[in-house]
Amino acid sequence: GGDQDPVVYADCVKPSIQPESITIACGDGNIVKSKITWDSWGDAEAGGSGTAEVDLCDPNCADGTIGKYISGVTVSDLKDCNGEQAYLAIEIDFMDEAPKGFDDPYKTSLGCGEK
C-alpha cells in the first residue's frame, strides 16, 4: 500500500526500515555505516548520523585496519523495488577528515536486494 514506510537494503539482501547499520560496499563490505540514529524517515530523503566503519586497506584490504568516522548519513532516490519503495542512494558526510581515497561527502548507490 501507499502508506507503508520505505525500506533500505541495509545488508544488500533484505529490506529494512530505519536499520541501525548499512553495508555500503556489498561486494567487499569495505564500508559499514553503524550505530545509526535516524532523525527522519519516510520522506523523499531520510537522514541521521552514526559511525562509518571504513576498511583502510592497510596493509591490505583483507587484513586492513578499520577506521571509525563520525558521520552524517542521508538516504534518497526512492524507487519501486520489488513492489516496495526503497531508498537507492546513500550519502555519507564525514564530520572530521574523510578517510584516504574517499570523497566528502561520499555518495554511492544501494542495491535493490541483489543476492
Side-chain angles (χ1 to χ4, degrees):
D3 54 358
Q4 204 178 359
D5 272 336
V7 298
V8 64
Y9 282 82
D11 64 353
C12 314
V13 180
K14 290 194 303 291
S16 52
I17 293 170
Q18 294 194 359
E20 193 178 291
S21 72
I22 297 177
T23 300
I24 292 162
C26 290
D28 47 19
N30 261 8
I31 313 181
V32 175
K33 181 81 188 159
S34 66
K35 301 185 178 67
I36 305 172
T37 305
W38 294 99
D39 301 320
S40 64
W41 190 269
D43 295 326
E45 290 188 347
S49 59
T51 305
E53 298 180 19
V54 180
D55 185 343
L56 301 177
C57 294
D58 182 18
N60 56 58
C61 292
D63 305 314
T65 312
I66 302 296
K68 298 195 171 172
Y69 299 83
I70 303 298
S71 49
V73 58
T74 307
V75 290
S76 59
D77 192 24
L78 272 177
K79 294 261 173 30
D80 183 75
C81 176
N82 307 319
E84 295 183 279
Q85 289 288 299
Y87 293 111
L88 297 184
I90 189 165
E91 179 175 317
I92 295 179
D93 191 7
F94 296 102
M95 303 288 183
D96 301 313
E97 200 176 329
K100 194 168 128 246
F102 285 87
D103 293 333
D104 186 12
Y106 174 74
K107 300 178 183 180
T108 188
S109 54
L110 292 167
C112 181
E114 290 90 356
K115 302 278 181 292

